[in-house]
Amino acid sequence: MGFAVSDELLGTVVPIVVYWIYSGIYMCLGSFDKYRLHSKTDEEEKNLVSKRTVVVGVLFQQFLQAAAAILLFTITGGQTEASPLQPSSFVILARQFLTAMLVMDTWQYFLHRYFHENKFLYRHLHSRHHRLVVPYAFGALYNHPLEGLLLDTVGGALSFMLSGMSPRTSILFFSFATIKTVDDHCGLMLPGNPLHIFFRNNSAYHDVHHQLYGSKYNFSQPFFIMWDKIMGTYMPYSLEKRAEGGLEARPTKEFKED
């Protein structure tokens, strides 16, 4: 049991380390102005919260989420519906990953959308995340702590249990989900980015949601866009070059005039 619990704890700690390493890489790439979705000036002027406050907020949320996960493992003794064994084939691993991705997407879409539609929850919880009108990498998890627990911790637990993945596999999955979340908020559309090749839910897609005109659209996160398509909240956009340099995700004409 000790070995399994160790892997479960790593599934909490490793993604936190990955978060700061990967977002740090993107901050170093921030000088690639021609691939930025917003200028550095916009980032400084439009955002309603300082970067120092964002760092403190994210660290506090990660501390709470880690504590909640450790408490859960302590109470359950590491016994969940998930398999303690490593998958015996790539097919099983792929199936577990896909199941976990679909579960996480479903949970986050409907809860995220409800956070927007319920005025009380938006005002007191979710509006904190939208203080970042111009998203950047290490602000990806800048949320109200309660929202973080409901959206990420509970969603992650459901993905883990319903997919049947082992604790060791969960280290890989949650690290990948963390990388995808940071990438969606990085504010850059770098050519050749494999995540942008395989997923239409990317930094431009999520940037639309962070703008005033897109706040009722593009709720899907972090992997697929299927729920937006199914539920009628999909906002199509085109990626255009800005006259002053960089890129811009512009909604299609019918939405812009809406």
Side-chain angles (χ1 to χ4, degrees), residues 112-256:
H112 181 199
R113 182 174 176 178
Y114 188 63
F115 279 146
H116 275 269
E117 294 179 345
N118 185 296
K119 293 181 179 179
F120 177 86
L121 291 178
Y122 184 82
R123 183 182 304 114
H124 295 285
L125 296 183
H126 192 56
S127 63
R128 176 177 295 195
H129 183 68
H130 281 271
R131 291 175 187 172
L132 293 178
V133 179
V134 178
Y136 49 78
F138 66 83
L141 293 183
Y142 180 65
N143 301 310
H144 189 284
L146 180 57
E147 177 184 347
L149 289 172
L150 292 173
L151 201 65
D152 299 322
T153 306
V154 175
L158 289 171
S159 300
F160 172 67
M161 291 186 291
L162 295 179
S163 67
M165 65 175 54
S166 70
R168 181 163 294 182
T169 300
S170 76
I171 299 173
L172 298 176
F173 174 72
F174 291 125
S175 294
F176 175 61
T178 298
I179 288 173
K180 183 66 175 62
T181 300
V182 170
D183 200 87
D184 290 347
H185 291 81
C186 71
L188 292 167
M189 286 294 289
L190 295 174
N193 184 333
L195 293 177
H196 295 177
I197 294 172
F198 291 104
F199 295 96
R200 293 180 62 190
N201 194 336
N202 52 38
S203 52
Y205 187 87
H206 193 66
D207 181 76
V208 169
H209 175 71
H210 271 259
Q211 307 313 306
L212 183 61
Y213 59 76
S215 61
K216 296 180 180 179
Y217 301 92
N218 294 12
F219 297 109
S220 293
Q221 58 184 43
F223 300 111
F224 308 112
I225 65 171
M226 62 176 188
W227 283 116
D228 278 317
K229 289 274 194 174
I230 293 171
M231 302 302 294
T233 55
Y234 170 70
M235 176 179 278
Y237 65 91
S238 61
L239 200 60
E240 308 289 344
K241 289 185 178 181
R242 285 187 279 115
E244 63 273 24
L247 303 169
E248 179 184 0
R250 296 177 184 171
T252 54
K253 185 178 179 181
E254 61 267 26
F255 280 90
K256 200 164 188 177

Side-chain angles (χ1 to χ4, degrees), residues 93-105:
L93 179 65
R95 186 195 68 206
Q96 291 174 343
F97 254 66
L98 181 59
T99 300
M101 291 163 75
L102 292 173
V103 170
M104 181 173 287
D105 266 21

